[in-house]
Amino acid sequence: MKHKITKNWGLKLVSFLFAVMLWVIVTNINDPISPLRVYNIPVNIKNAELITDKGQIYEVLDGTDVLDAVTIRAPRSVIDTLDASNVIAEADMNDLTSLNTITIKLYTNKYNDKLESIKGNIDSVKLNIEDKQIRSFPIRPNVTGQVTDGYLVSNVSTDQNLIRVSGPQSVISQIAKAQAEVDISGFTSNIGTDSDIRLYNEDGIEIRSKSIEKSLTKVRVNVEILEKKTVPIVYAVDGTPAEGFRMTGEINSSKENVVIAGKSDILREISSIEVPERAIGVNDAVETVETVINLHDYLPENVILAEENFDGIVSVSVEIEQERRQTVYVPLDEIQLTGVPTGYRAVINEPEESYSIILVGLSSELSEVDINTITAYIDVEKWLTQQENTEPESGYYRMPLTVRLPENSPVTWEDAWVNVHLTEIEE
């Protein structure tokens, strides 16, 4: 029996090898090794806490956490069941080298043991590892563009005013400010919108990095837009200058008109900015009074000043001038005697043919008086009434002279008394 088994063993071995080869050939013909190429396979980094727990942070360099292409070789029957979703790429922090690289391990989540090979376009993840930094920045709202003519931006605010950012020290240290921008072009009413928070360096260049983590990515920005209007400034004056001095009526200001801003319905009711008399006092003044006024103190509620480079401070001067005296002469025969009691005759009894009258006023006022238009009279009845003299006796009396000046003239005159001879007419 043994002899039969070992008989022609060489022929039997050749037959066995031929059978194996035939099986392989048949298998390859029916299920050949085929390639599969998949793209953009993300690399999962495992055990990242080995870095983060030490207060450090890592950044993947050169996009090495994504494989542009992975090639798989396997029997066609296997290849036909695979696609990109079956490919797993991992990099374990436990395998971190001194060059800050991690070997990428590739496999499939099914039929992995039937793969002939699997290979990516790169074989390792490159990292930048450095200390983690955390900083906080105020969120600065910023507007771009221009509102419609006749309007202005009054106030810009955010619902939240602080953002916390963290990331590699080399990146975070470059940040100078956090800003949320709103385009106001063409607007005439208030704006409320959610804006992206952007980070900038000192040169105003935006800093973008996937390694930066933000506590906020958007913030609500509110922009108040007001209408503008130009109105005059009206000044009132309190007090009386010293005796013998008067205001000329001229109030000079470093600013006569001002641009204000507010809601349209409020501005419609405003025709001027009125500075009350308590702000400018001239009591006992003997020269021009200079006063500094802060217009902010006299703005109506919910109204603001709307001029660039104007802080609301104006200088006001009230002209004070000493009164002057001017002597004019009125012929006696032109002085009228009115109110002479019935049965009496009145005659002016003065030694000269004209009577001097002293006018009092400012130089400009006196210069406007036409002497030829000045008339004077004596009201005999009025004077007798004031003296309670209903039955006057004949005699000489000194009665006040009244001067007629042009209507609304601010010029006055010093008291003047004229001798009047009053005689009773005998029947």
Side-chain angles (χ1 to χ4, degrees):
M1 185 69 178
K2 182 177 178 181
H3 178 72
K4 289 181 179 180
I5 294 174
T6 56
K7 187 178 180 180
N8 298 322
W9 64 272
L11 182 60
K12 293 177 179 178
L13 178 61
V14 171
S15 298
F16 173 75
L17 293 174
F18 177 77
V20 170
M21 289 177 61
L22 183 60
W23 179 83
V24 171
I25 291 171
V26 171
T27 300
N28 282 328
I29 291 174
N30 294 330
D31 194 10
I33 299 296
S34 300
L36 171 65
R37 195 173 181 85
V38 294
Y39 303 94
N40 298 321
I41 303 301
V43 179
N44 177 37
I45 298 179
K46 298 174 62 178
N47 297 312
E49 66 274 8
L50 295 175
I51 298 296
T52 57
D53 286 353
K54 293 189 295 184
Q56 293 181 309
I57 194 168
Y58 66 87
E59 179 183 10
V60 177
L61 301 177
D62 303 330
T64 53
D65 59 345
V66 176
L67 298 175
D68 293 337
V70 173
T71 302
I72 305 170
R73 291 184 61 81
R76 179 175 295 173
S77 59
V78 173
I79 291 297
D80 289 343
T81 66
L82 299 177
D83 58 28
S85 65
N86 301 120
V87 178
I88 308 297
E90 292 179 343
D92 194 329
M93 280 291 184
N94 283 304
D95 300 328
L96 182 66
T97 69
S98 59
L99 297 177
N100 289 339
T101 62
I102 310 174
T103 300
I104 299 172
K105 297 178 180 178
L106 285 168
Y107 61 93
T108 57
N109 56 13
K110 64 179 183 178
Y111 303 128
N112 187 63
D113 57 339
K114 298 185 181 301
L115 304 184
E116 181 176 280
S117 66
I118 181 169
K119 185 175 180 60
N121 64 298
I122 57 174
D123 56 10
S124 62
V125 175
K126 298 178 183 178
L127 301 179
N128 174 51
I129 299 175
E130 55 183 293
D131 291 338
K132 182 179 182 179
Q133 186 176 28
I134 301 175
R135 294 177 65 189
S136 294
F137 295 90
I139 302 172
R140 301 180 183 179
N142 183 54
V143 295
T144 60
Q146 296 292 329
V147 291
T148 302
D149 288 344
Y151 293 82
L152 61 73
V153 174
S154 169
N155 184 52
V156 184
S157 63
T158 57
D159 287 354
Q160 300 188 58
N161 56 16
L162 200 66
I163 183 175
R164 186 176 65 255
V165 296
S166 62
Q169 185 176 17
S170 61
V171 177
I172 301 301
S173 61
Q174 297 179 46
I175 301 173
K177 63 182 178 181
Q179 193 164 280
E181 297 181 351
V182 176
D183 186 354
I184 59 172
S185 299
F187 278 88
T188 60
S189 59
N190 295 347
I191 303 171
T193 186
D194 292 329
S195 297
D196 293 330
I197 302 174
R198 304 180 186 277
L199 306 175
Y200 296 90
N201 65 15
E202 291 183 351
D203 297 325
I205 299 173
E206 185 177 359
I207 297 174
R208 297 182 180 182
S209 174
K210 293 181 180 180
S211 63
I212 297 177
E213 294 183 2
K214 302 176 183 177
S215 59
L216 298 170
T217 57
K218 290 181 177 290
V219 68
R220 188 75 173 177
V221 180
N222 302 301
V223 183
E224 184 180 25
I225 297 177
L226 302 178
E227 185 178 355
K228 295 192 295 185
K229 183 178 184 180
T230 301
V231 295
I233 308 170
V234 178
Y235 300 95
V237 179
D238 181 43
T240 304
E243 186 176 354
F245 292 82
R246 281 185 28 220
M247 291 183 290
T248 66
E250 290 188 26
I251 300 177
N252 298 313
S253 171
S254 59
K255 199 166 189 62
E256 297 181 354
N257 299 296
V258 66
V259 180
I260 58 176
K263 293 182 178 179
S264 299
D265 56 341
I266 295 176
L267 293 188
R268 279 195 295 269
E269 305 299 322
I270 300 174
S271 58
S272 64
I273 298 301
E274 298 183 2
V275 177
E277 59 183 20
R278 68 175 183 273
I280 307 173
V282 296
N283 265 337
D284 299 324
V286 296
E287 61 184 6
T288 297
V289 174
E290 303 281 352
T291 306
V292 175
I293 302 293
N294 187 342
L295 290 182
H296 287 103
D297 296 335
Y298 308 109
L299 293 175
E301 189 176 0
N302 297 320
V303 172
I304 64 171
L305 297 176
E307 292 182 65
E308 292 184 7
N309 304 319
F310 176 54
D311 59 2
I313 304 300
V314 295
S315 299
V316 182
S317 62
V318 180
E319 298 289 337
I320 306 294
E321 187 178 313
Q322 189 173 11
E323 292 179 327
R324 307 297 178 186
R325 282 163 173 74
Q326 180 178 344
T327 302
V328 296
Y329 296 90
V330 179
L332 293 181
D333 59 2
E334 293 183 5
I335 298 176
Q336 298 176 342
L337 289 163
T338 64
V340 178
T342 303
Y344 288 85
R345 180 176 64 231
V347 178
I348 296 174
N349 185 20
E350 289 289 337
E352 305 293 337
E353 293 183 356
S354 61
Y355 189 81
S356 61
I357 300 171
I358 300 176
L359 302 180
V360 181
L362 303 179
S363 297
S364 59
E365 297 169 347
L366 292 173
S367 66
E368 293 178 357
V369 176
D370 183 355
I371 297 176
N372 297 321
T373 63
I374 296 176
T375 60
Y377 68 93
I378 298 170
D379 189 337
V380 177
E381 182 181 14
K382 180 179 179 181
W383 182 81
L384 290 173
T385 301
Q386 290 173 346
Q387 302 301 313
E388 298 181 353
N389 188 349
T390 59
E391 297 180 0
E393 297 179 357
S394 297
Y396 292 90
Y397 300 93
R398 286 188 65 77
M399 297 184 183
L401 183 69
T402 301
V403 179
R404 287 192 182 98
L405 294 168
E407 188 177 1
N408 299 323
S409 174
V411 174
T412 60
W413 64 91
E414 290 187 350
D415 291 345
W417 296 84
V418 178
N419 289 319
V420 177
H421 185 206
L422 187 65
T423 57
E424 187 175 2
I425 302 173
E426 296 181 359
E427 297 181 359

